[in-house]
Amino acid sequence: EIAERDAPANPVQLLRSGKRAEDIFPLGQPVPGGLWMGSRPHLPDSLPVIGASLSRPGLWYNFGHGDSGFGLGPLSGRLLADLITERDPGLDILPLSPLRFLA
């Protein structure tokens, strides 16, 4: 569910999707402990940070993917590898720079 950080937990979407998954594929008994819900952190501009640290030579950043980390992981890993090895990443990575927050 996409909701405000301090909104009360609403498990309706999770319960419905669990029921649909069970209809398609029997999942067996639920894991003990109940449902866990929490907010996902997002950067102010909703873009990940990919690039070199200004203050620590050799330190590279690749974080802040929010809800899309699993899907963007391979691409951001490739971008980071290109940056580290000084290859052309094939796109403008300036909007992802950690330096964008210094202004």
Side-chain angles (χ1 to χ4, degrees):
E1 134 180 86
I2 297 176
E4 294 293 323
R5 187 192 67 193
D6 295 326
N10 182 353
V12 170
Q13 182 179 0
L14 187 58
L15 294 172
R16 284 182 184 162
S17 60
K19 172 68 173 110
R20 292 286 294 156
E22 183 72 30
D23 290 344
I24 297 167
F25 183 78
L27 300 173
Q29 294 297 316
V31 175
L35 301 174
W36 180 89
M37 299 179 72
S39 61
R40 293 179 182 235
H42 287 269
L43 293 169
D45 59 5
S46 297
L47 294 174
V49 171
I50 302 174
S53 167
L54 184 62
S55 61
R56 303 275 183 181
L59 177 64
W60 293 82
Y61 299 121
N62 187 359
F63 66 88
H65 296 76
D67 298 334
S68 303
F70 189 77
L72 291 176
L75 174 61
S76 62
R78 178 57 189 245
L79 288 173
L80 187 61
D82 287 344
L83 294 173
I84 291 170
T85 59
E86 299 181 357
R87 286 191 306 248
D88 178 11
L91 58 101
D92 180 14
I93 56 100
L94 189 60
L96 307 177
S97 170
L99 303 179
R100 71 186 190 263
F101 298 110
L102 295 179

